[in-house]
């Protein structure tokens, strides 16, 4: 019963097979092989337009390079106060940009409030050198607390970005989970809603190690190629990343794995709703479930083999958490089974 993180899951068998199938022979290095170029074209098809694709090793690299692509001296990037960029990147965006800052914006349950964003950006006049100047806006889709921005919400934030002439970045570590939750297309959820650059994650959704920066603003592509190399993110044997994406996209596997993870989260949430010893903190929208539980009960569950993490109380959560209780996060993945969800449900059934 592993609900710690979708990063804990291994590689999907089809993706492992794709790696093995491309392990032999020779291929042009540094992203210029036949399979690499085929995957670039596949990204174009998926996003319904020409895009620039840069394979990287981690989501941290993707996020940091995305902001670095729009770097300015004294630059400030605006993101949710509890976003992965602020909470879990160990200062990497600031390091990659050479000193730009991240500015946290409030909003309920992981999503930036547009009014708060407008006020935050307005605090920094671009012509005043003392305080720094706005550089970019970043949203996380799906968010750190399992919520999903609607297309209208993305478009509203994009309006603010356009008004201030700022690029909009999307941290899509769980891009596919949000996509299938909305029932929309990659194009509609990104550039058609005003997104300029995307951190496209595959690792959490069944890949071994496959992340990419997808750039819709092609004028920045030449510069980003140098930034990626300088950041030590240019793979020599990039065909092994391409091989993962090849299997990932084939026959819609990436959407199937995301749907499965989301369905397992919904099943887990239903079990928690029916439990006398746990309660949902809020309804899940993708593949993360948050519950309030008694600490003593958690010790019993973990001793029985259930693995999950405690979590901080997010901004905008107004539910009660007692002295003997805490908030806990459960994450499902392509590898989560009905059996393990039901086994956990049996444990909390009373």
């Amino acid at each position: 019963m592993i609900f710690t993180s979708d990063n804990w899951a291994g590689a999907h068998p089809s993706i492992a097979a794709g790696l093995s199938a491309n392990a032999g022979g020779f291929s042009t290095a540094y992203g210029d092989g036949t399979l690499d170029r085929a995957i670039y074209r596949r990204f174009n098809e998926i996003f319904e337009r020409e895009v620039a694709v840069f394979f990287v090793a981690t989501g941290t690299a993707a996020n940091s390079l995305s902001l670095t692509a729009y770097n300015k001296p004294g630059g400030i990037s605006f993101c949710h106060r509890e976003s992965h960029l602020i909470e879990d990147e160990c200062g990497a965006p600031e390091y990659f940009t050479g000193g730009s800052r991240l500015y946290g914006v409030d909003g309920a349950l992981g999503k930036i409030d547009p009014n708060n964003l407008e006020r935050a950006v307005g605090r920094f006049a671009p012509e005043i050198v003392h305080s720094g100047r706005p550089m970019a806006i970043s949203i996380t889709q799906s968010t750190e607390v399992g919520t999903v921005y609607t297309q209208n919400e993305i478009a509203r934030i994009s309006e603010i970005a356009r008004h201030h002439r700022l690029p909009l970045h999307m941290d899509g570590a769980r891009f596919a989970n949000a996509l299938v939750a909305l029932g929309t297309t990659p194009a509609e959820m990104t550039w058609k809603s005003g997104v300029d650059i995307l951190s496209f994650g595959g690792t959490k959704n069944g890949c071994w190690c496959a992340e990419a920066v997808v750039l819709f603003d092609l004028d920045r592509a030449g510069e980003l190629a140098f930034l990626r190399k300088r950041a030590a993110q240019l793979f020599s044997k990039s065909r092994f990343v391409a091989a993962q994406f090849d299997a990932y996209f084939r026959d819609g596997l990436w959407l199937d794995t995301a749907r499965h993870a989301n369905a397992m989260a919904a099943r887990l949430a239903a079990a928690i709703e029916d439990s006398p010893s746990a309660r949902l903190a809020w309804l899940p929208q993708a593949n993360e479930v948050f519950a309030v539980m008694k600490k003593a009960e958690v010790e019993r569950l973990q001793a029985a083999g259930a693995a999950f993490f405690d979590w901080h109380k997010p901004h905008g959560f107004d539910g009660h958490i007692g002295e003997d209780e805490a908030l806990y996060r459960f994450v499902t993945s392509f590898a989560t089974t009905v059996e393990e969800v039901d086994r956990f449900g049996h444990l909390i059934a009373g």
Side-chain angles (χ1 to χ4, degrees), residues 75-98:
I76 301 168
S77 295
F78 300 86
C79 51
H80 192 272
R81 63 183 289 184
E82 295 155 347
S83 66
H84 200 85
L85 277 172
I86 288 180
E87 296 284 347
D88 295 288
E89 302 291 34
C90 194
E94 295 94 331
Y95 178 77
F96 273 57
T97 57

Side-chain angles (χ1 to χ4, degrees), residues 284-303:
Q285 295 179 313
N287 68 317
E288 295 174 275
V289 180
F290 292 80
V292 177
M293 306 176 71
K294 291 187 181 297
K295 298 172 185 177
E297 173 70 358
V298 167
E299 291 179 5
R300 182 183 72 85
L301 294 171
Q302 291 176 337

Side-chain angles (χ1 to χ4, degrees), residues 16-295:
L19 281 165
S20 295
N22 287 275
F26 293 84
S27 176
T28 306
Y30 298 110
D32 198 33
T34 301
L35 185 56
D36 297 297
R37 293 195 298 271
I39 297 306
Y40 304 151
R41 292 192 296 270
R42 186 72 181 99
F43 270 97
N44 291 343
E45 294 168 2
I46 287 170
F47 287 97
E48 303 175 35
R49 57 167 288 175
E50 184 180 358
V51 298
V53 180
F54 300 86
F55 300 154
V56 294
T58 66
T60 298
N63 287 338
S64 300
L65 283 172
S66 292
L67 296 183
T68 305
Y70 293 91
N71 193 28
K72 296 177 182 177
I76 301 168
S77 295
F78 300 86
C79 51
H80 192 272
R81 63 183 289 184
E82 295 155 347
S83 66
H84 200 85
L85 277 172
I86 288 180
E87 296 284 347
D88 295 288
E89 302 291 34
C90 194
E94 295 94 331
Y95 178 77
F96 273 57
T97 57
S100 74
R101 288 181 287 158
L102 299 176
Y103 189 93
V105 180
D106 282 342
L109 297 181
K111 295 196 286 188
I112 291 174
D113 181 288
N115 294 325
N116 291 338
L117 176 63
E118 186 68 71
R119 285 191 291 270
V121 176
R123 288 188 58 185
F124 300 92
E127 68 276 9
I128 298 178
V129 299
H130 302 288
S131 56
R133 54 182 170 168
M135 184 177 92
I137 297 170
S138 178
I139 59 175
T140 309
Q141 182 76 324
S142 56
T143 73
E144 289 296 280
V145 294
T147 52
V148 175
Y149 285 92
T150 67
Q151 287 169 236
N152 286 339
E153 289 171 331
I154 298 171
R156 175 69 184 102
I157 291 174
S158 174
E159 288 175 8
I160 297 171
R162 293 291 175 270
H163 175 72
H164 293 280
R165 298 182 180 180
L166 298 175
L168 178 58
H169 165 251
M170 177 180 284
D171 176 356
R174 296 185 175 95
F175 182 86
N177 300 97
L179 187 70
V180 299
L182 291 178
T184 188
T185 67
E188 292 289 347
M189 200 172 78
T190 55
W191 64 271
K192 288 186 178 181
S193 295
V195 174
D196 297 289
I197 190 166
L198 165 70
S199 298
F200 183 91
T203 305
K204 285 181 168 66
N205 194 34
C207 289
W208 168 71
C209 179
E211 307 286 317
V213 176
V214 179
L215 187 58
F216 305 106
D217 177 6
L218 297 180
D219 291 340
R220 299 271 171 171
E223 191 74 9
L224 187 51
F226 283 90
L227 291 171
R228 178 178 62 166
K229 174 63 176 179
R230 188 183 67 176
Q233 289 294 315
L234 177 59
F235 294 95
S236 58
K237 296 184 180 180
S238 60
R239 60 170 151 156
F240 292 113
V241 179
Q244 292 176 75
F245 280 131
D246 183 41
Y248 189 59
F249 293 138
R250 187 176 298 133
D251 299 324
L253 176 65
W254 67 300
L255 303 178
D256 291 340
T257 50
R259 288 190 189 100
H260 175 81
N262 289 7
M264 292 300 97
R267 191 180 187 94
L268 179 61
I272 291 171
E273 278 191 310
D274 291 340
S275 170
S277 61
R279 62 185 184 276
L280 286 177
W282 53 87
L283 290 175
Q285 295 179 313
N287 68 317
E288 295 174 275
V289 180
F290 292 80
V292 177
M293 306 176 71
K294 291 187 181 297
K295 298 172 185 177

